[in-house]
Amino acid sequence: MMYSQKIKNLSESATIAISTLASELKAKGRDILSFSAGEPDFDTPQVIKDEAIRALNSGYTKYTPVAGIPELLKAIADKLERENGLTYSPKEILVSNGAKQSLFNIFQALIEEGDEVIIPSPYWVTYPELVTYSGGKPVFIPTNESTDFKITPKQLKEAITSKTKMLVLTTPSNPTGMVYLKNELIQIAEILQGSKIWVVSDEMYEKLIYDVEFTSCAAISEDMMSRTITVNGLSKSVAMTGWRMGYLATKDLKLLKLMNNLQSQCTSNINSITQRASIVALNGEADADIELMREAFQKRRDLACELIGDIGGLKVLKPQGAFYLFINIKDISKYNGDSMKFSQELLEKEGVALVPGKAFGMDGYVRFSFACSNDQIIEGLNRISRFVKL
Ligand SMILES: Cc1ncc(COP(=O)(O)O)c(C=O)c1O
């Protein structure tokens, strides 16, 4: 049987070894505490669910336009204007089955065989896979604590070649939680000025932000607006991972049409009920609920960082966004920075599941998700403290 080379190259998630082991241990009756979640532990706000129920009961169950219903596209355009200072018209927006599909559409529509896509590392696992699947070549820029895991203008300049097609920026970042500040984005914009390089700005965690002000890449300048494809969605900030709602916005109407064609041939519109509910999530009606979640995340972040500070050998930068801690384990000499071995033994010995940094392209770290209760955070970090002392 001949399978396509393209599909064979697609990797299974690097976290699978750990999650399989966690499930096996759980099945054996072990008490497993997992900090590997990539989603909020909160339920979707009731006002949003109520609208979905109304839509369902009123028979809102048919195909819709591929890009999304006009009311939803308008709600997104209004949100981007009001909250991000970005002027997009509804026809410059495409709604997809999660930001994952938005990214898939973008890479498929823009990447030619051999094109280089710059991805700061550590990175969210999906980018390099999708870039490779589209025929492109991921070019990683490694970062570390000295720049809060953010690329510098110098690094970006050095990474650019004649084949560079695109830069992917994630702000706030998964897995580090770091946020590009306005002045940093201005410096990045200066490097890109005059080039034909696209920017994909993944702003999925935009609402989960602490201490700093969020700036959208496209808001930096006219030049950035025209080269940036803004990607966002409701999964993380409104606790709607299962609803599958993501979107992208671009000033390039031709590009939008091409991506619309692609989506029309594979998935068409997203779920009609989700679309109606999403309008409520975007128009401000759920803002109080969103703020309550954000505040809870901020308190959990503070608690977890304080506890980790007391554990000798572990280091962590306090994240300014998202719900992850990217913990440096390099001082635990026994593991020599081997994040897989560290995660595996931590799971076997203490029943604590983390995601090895290797999955995000950076060994020497583990990702701890604080999308869980304070009690779980306290108990989990107690166990981790015991483990690193062994
Ligand atoms: C940085 C980032 N972008 C995009 C996504 C995809 O979100 P969704 O497809 O649920 O909209 C995720 C989910 O983990 C993420 O962490």
Side-chain angles (χ1 to χ4, degrees):
M1 198 84 76
M2 289 299 284
Y3 304 112
S4 80
Q5 196 52 48
K6 205 171 155 178
I7 201 79
K8 282 196 290 186
N9 287 346
L10 203 62
S11 312
E12 194 174 41
S13 157
T15 60
I16 212 90
I18 296 295
S19 53
T20 309
L21 181 60
S23 313
E24 281 169 15
L25 293 173
K26 233 179 193 162
K28 283 185 191 153
R30 280 280 304 275
D31 163 30
I32 303 296
L33 273 182
S34 179
F35 299 95
S36 57
E39 60 184 345
D41 52 328
F42 297 105
D43 195 1
T44 302
Q46 192 60 43
V47 276
I48 298 171
K49 292 204 257 181
D50 287 344
E51 180 58 22
I53 293 163
R54 263 195 300 277
L56 188 57
N57 286 338
S58 66
Y60 205 75
T61 55
K62 301 285 193 277
Y63 287 135
T64 77
V66 171
I69 54 176
E71 304 89 310
L72 174 58
L73 298 177
K74 179 162 187 325
I76 295 169
D78 289 349
K79 176 260 183 260
L80 290 172
E81 178 88 60
R82 190 176 69 240
E83 297 181 354
N84 306 82
L86 303 175
T87 309
Y88 287 108
S89 79
K91 62 178 191 301
E92 293 167 334
I93 293 163
L94 173 61
V95 177
S96 303
N97 288 283
K100 257 190 184 161
Q101 192 184 14
S102 306
L103 292 162
F104 183 82
N105 287 339
I106 294 167
F107 296 139
Q108 286 291 321
L110 285 173
I111 306 291
E112 300 256 40
E113 202 65 34
D115 279 350
E116 293 179 358
V117 176
I118 297 177
I119 302 176
S121 147
Y123 47 75
W124 178 48
V125 292
T126 294
Y127 306 131
E129 293 298 333
L130 289 187
V131 166
T132 309
Y133 188 74
S134 309
K137 181 174 169 249
V139 172
F140 301 112
I141 302 183
T143 64
N144 58 39
E145 286 93 341
S146 71
T147 60
D148 288 350
F149 294 108
K150 289 181 268 192
I151 55 166
T152 63
K154 184 167 175 285
Q155 279 182 307
L156 177 60
K157 201 170 179 181
E158 285 167 5
I160 292 172
T161 73
S162 57
K163 290 190 175 153
T164 305
K165 185 67 166 267
M166 188 184 282
L167 163 69
V168 179
L169 275 186
T170 321
T171 179
S173 152
N174 173 7
T176 69
M178 295 301 153
V179 177
Y180 282 87
L181 303 177
K182 190 172 181 185
N183 66 313
E184 293 164 338
L185 292 175
I186 291 172
Q187 289 177 332
I188 287 174
E190 278 165 9
I191 302 289
L192 297 174
Q193 181 110 33
S195 77
K196 287 194 174 139
I197 300 170
W198 290 92
V199 176
V200 172
S201 183
D202 183 338
E203 305 180 359
M204 277 302 290
Y205 293 89
E206 163 218 11
K207 297 238 164 165
L208 303 177
I209 190 133
Y210 325 109
D211 315 327
V212 294
E213 199 175 318
F214 176 77
T215 306
S216 282
C217 279
I220 292 301
S221 61
E222 275 300 309
D223 181 70
M224 278 299 268
M225 185 72 179
S226 62
R227 69 173 70 248
T228 299
I229 306 169
T230 302
V231 174
N232 208 328
L234 302 178
S235 287
K236 317 287 177 169
S237 28
V238 201
M240 289 180 71
T241 46
W243 298 70
R244 309 313 297 135
M245 193 288 188
Y247 59 89
L248 62 81
T250 172
K251 284 284 161 194
D252 189 327
L253 279 175
K254 181 83 198 292
L255 173 64
L256 198 98
K257 174 81 176 74
L258 294 172
M259 293 189 288
N260 194 309
N261 289 350
L262 171 64
Q263 189 168 308
S264 77
Q265 301 296 3
C266 40
T267 58
S268 293
N269 60 275
I270 73 160
N271 180 302
S272 56
I273 298 154
T274 293
Q275 293 192 53
R276 280 272 300 271
S278 296
I279 296 169
V280 172
L282 288 155
N283 71 7
E285 286 178 67
D287 280 5
D289 297 294
I290 294 170
E291 177 57 14
L292 279 179
M293 293 192 267
R294 194 199 65 78
E295 282 170 8
F297 280 127
Q298 181 159 355
K299 287 194 185 119
R300 293 164 178 186
R301 172 201 68 158
D302 292 344
L303 171 69
C305 285
E306 200 184 311
L307 293 174
I308 290 172
D310 292 338
I311 303 177
L314 297 185
K315 282 185 289 204
V316 71
L317 288 184
K318 205 173 198 178
Q320 299 145 341
F323 40 69
Y324 308 108
L325 304 179
F326 204 53
I327 305 172
N328 184 326
I329 57 160
K330 289 182 216 169
D331 286 347
I332 313 289
S333 56
K334 191 175 155 200
Y335 294 99
N336 201 20
D338 185 337
S339 61
M340 283 303 274
K341 190 160 177 250
F342 180 96
S343 307
Q344 209 154 333
E345 289 189 13
L346 175 65
L347 185 55
E348 279 161 1
K349 292 199 170 116
E350 292 290 345
V352 171
L354 303 179
V355 184
K358 204 167 178 203
F360 310 101
M362 192 156 286
D363 230 349
Y365 297 84
V366 286
R367 191 192 75 176
F368 177 103
S369 161
F370 55 87
C372 56
S373 71
N374 283 348
D375 286 349
Q376 273 172 300
I377 291 171
I378 293 167
E379 172 60 15
L381 288 170
N382 256 332
R383 292 189 195 182
I384 292 173
S385 169
R386 193 159 59 206
F387 174 74
V388 299
K389 277 190 204 132
L390 286 179

